[in-house]
Amino acid sequence: MPRRQGYALLIALVAGTAVLAAAVAFGTARLTAERQPTASGSGAQAAARNPAAPANSTGTWVVTWTGAPVTGEPHTGNGFPGRTIRNIVHTSVGGDAARITLSNLFGTTPLVIEQATVNTRPVTFRGLPTVTVAAGRQIVSDPVTVPVAPDAELVVALRTPQAGGPVTHHPNTHRTSYLDDTDGTWRTTTWRYLTAVDVRNDISPGAVVVIGDSLTAGSGSTTDADNRWPDVLAGRLDHRYGIANQGIAGNRLLRDSPSYVNGRGGRAGVHRFERDVLSVAGAKTVIIALGINDVQQTPQEPDPQRIVDGLRSLTERAHARGLRVIGTTLTPFQGFPTWTPERNAVRLAVNAQIRAGGIFDDFVDFDRAVRDPYAPNRILPAYDSGDRLHLNDTGYRTLGRLVDLDTVAGTPRSDAF
């Protein structure tokens, strides 16, 4: 289904889900600003150390969407008892069946889901409509026969009947989802519990997994427009490949983000690589777009070689699984409050090594594409979202068009660089 029809489908699905919610006494469909939950929880960091079950797939399953779990959502120690969470996601590749991954990675109590649907089709877990996900774990649903169109909106609804938190979430999604309760329907830009949707597709070549930070997550892009650069890449690939956007705003390569326990930033790329890249269904190619937050965030990484070594270690781990790896250079940020000449020198040194080769199978020069030729340490004004670090829709479209499609389908090189 083309994108121009996707919003019509979304409206119909939202309306249908609202009717279903009313039938089971979840209240009326009144749209207001997102409600702020009450009650706070603790222990998210301890729960995050518990390993989550892998979501590996075999056969013809390929990912169509992902939303990397970031942290436990602040102030959600009781979860959302008696409410329906409607996560709205945008597909990349289509298929004739779907399965979903639900995560309680940052929860400290068991998560009970008593009803789950994909586009209103009931989902089961080991044959049952109700599932309990232990704290620190995740679960993959049974396949549900539901047509999933490429480049379209998909509604994954979850009902949680009892208290249980903190809620594993992905904030700053640039996508409107909904939370239903007895008082109405509330808009939100957070995905909750849902971390992946896979589809059954016999002809897709596989999936491209993009691990990155806010520039991959789309900070500065228009909400609900799907103008993140991986979305643009999906269109250029004619939606034959699955695209797993594992971008997290504030994410770093080497360190867990300082704001990690407060709901932002997430685990470092080197720590989440197994979970968010190597375990993705149908993964074929990895694009690594990390490092700028190591340069510009406090505490800053002053040694460019440590960043380069971290990037190379991810390449080696991907090669061990037979995956091709593409890297990106680090984009300019002069004018952003954290910019200094010393930090910029680290960025330039990392970029020099990326361009010299020996880190990735191939690379995309994001820096050269978006920098101002008259002030190369700044983003070109036409691409700047306004904060001198993040891009606008035009800038992200530029990045998405820059990736050489032939590099996506290539084979990994030997690690003997």
Side-chain angles (χ1 to χ4, degrees):
M1 179 182 297
R3 181 174 298 171
R4 62 177 177 271
Q5 297 176 8
Y7 295 106
L9 174 61
L10 173 59
I11 292 170
L13 292 173
V14 168
T17 308
V19 171
L20 177 62
V24 290
F26 287 113
T28 59
R30 177 168 54 86
L31 294 179
T32 70
E34 180 180 8
R35 172 181 294 181
Q36 292 298 320
T38 57
S40 60
S42 61
Q45 210 169 10
R49 290 193 292 267
N50 296 328
N56 291 324
S57 71
T58 58
T60 57
W61 289 99
V62 61
V63 70
T64 189
W65 170 88
T66 56
V70 180
T71 62
E73 185 174 359
H75 316 299
T76 60
N78 286 335
F80 295 106
R83 304 182 190 181
T84 297
I85 297 163
R86 286 185 285 145
N87 296 296
I88 313 298
V89 305
H90 194 86
T91 64
S92 52
V93 66
D96 62 5
R99 66 184 187 186
I100 61 175
T101 301
L102 303 181
S103 175
N104 192 24
L105 180 60
F106 299 103
T108 56
T109 59
L111 166 66
V112 178
I113 302 291
E114 70 173 6
Q115 184 183 46
T117 59
V118 174
N119 282 1
T120 73
R121 300 284 183 93
V123 177
T124 60
F125 301 84
R126 298 176 183 172
L128 301 174
T130 300
V131 66
T132 299
V133 187
R137 310 293 290 186
Q138 69 178 29
I139 191 166
V140 181
S141 76
D142 301 330
V144 54
T145 302
V146 56
V148 176
D151 190 26
E153 277 62 57
L154 197 71
V155 182
V156 180
L158 314 167
R159 185 177 188 273
T160 54
Q162 64 191 50
V167 174
T168 298
H169 81 314
H170 182 111
N172 308 312
T173 64
H174 311 287
R175 161 63 57 184
T176 303
S177 293
Y178 301 90
L179 180 65
D180 299 336
D181 64 16
T182 55
D183 292 328
T185 298
W186 312 87
R187 296 181 188 273
T188 176
T189 55
T190 295
W191 290 313
R192 296 178 171 98
Y193 298 128
L194 180 70
T195 59
V197 179
D198 304 332
V199 295
R200 190 169 59 199
N201 184 309
D202 291 329
I203 61 174
S204 173
V208 180
V209 186
V210 186
I211 183 169
D213 45 43
S214 56
L215 293 166
T216 296
S219 295
S221 66
T222 301
T223 297
D224 296 330
D226 301 307
N227 281 329
R228 312 166 193 85
W229 70 262
D231 297 324
V232 177
L233 176 60
R236 292 181 60 227
L237 290 167
D238 296 324
H239 301 284
R240 295 179 299 109
Y241 285 78
I243 299 291
N245 186 337
Q246 300 286 40
I248 295 177
N251 197 228
R252 299 172 64 133
L253 172 68
L254 301 176
R255 292 175 180 258
D256 293 344
S257 295
S259 56
Y260 167 59
V261 295
N262 297 320
R264 297 182 62 248
R267 301 295 305 276
V270 294
H271 296 152
R272 67 185 182 99
F273 198 68
E274 175 72 32
R275 181 195 74 194
D276 291 346
V277 175
L278 301 182
S279 295
V280 168
K284 175 183 177 65
T285 299
V286 182
I287 302 179
I288 300 173
L290 284 170
I292 192 62
N293 287 328
D294 297 76
V295 171
Q296 66 90 14
Q297 285 183 357
T298 301
Q300 181 232 358
E301 175 51 63
D303 183 358
Q305 190 60 48
R306 279 181 43 81
I307 296 174
V308 168
D309 290 344
L311 294 172
R312 186 179 286 113
S313 74
L314 297 187
T315 297
E316 292 169 353
R317 291 165 66 182
H319 281 180
R321 301 291 185 90
L323 305 181
R324 179 171 176 77
V325 183
I326 301 168
T328 70
T329 53
L330 309 185
T331 53
F333 67 105
Q334 187 175 9
F336 194 70
T338 60
W339 189 90
T340 67
E342 293 77 17
R343 292 179 177 186
N344 189 58
V346 174
R347 179 184 72 89
L348 295 176
V350 172
N351 285 350
Q353 290 208 48
I354 290 174
R355 293 182 180 114
I359 302 175
F360 308 113
D361 296 323
D362 209 331
F363 75 94
V364 186
D365 204 336
F366 280 0
D367 170 42
R368 183 166 297 173
V370 302
R371 70 192 184 195
D372 187 335
Y374 299 103
N377 294 319
R378 293 180 181 268
I379 297 172
L380 192 71
Y383 298 155
D384 188 357
S385 68
D387 66 3
R388 307 300 177 89
L389 174 64
H390 301 102
L391 306 181
N392 57 23
D393 291 345
T394 302
Y396 287 125
R397 282 193 292 268
T398 298
L399 297 188
R401 292 167 180 163
L402 194 65
V403 179
D404 185 340
L405 301 187
D406 290 337
T407 67
V408 171
T411 57
R413 286 194 317 198
S414 166
D415 280 329
F417 288 123

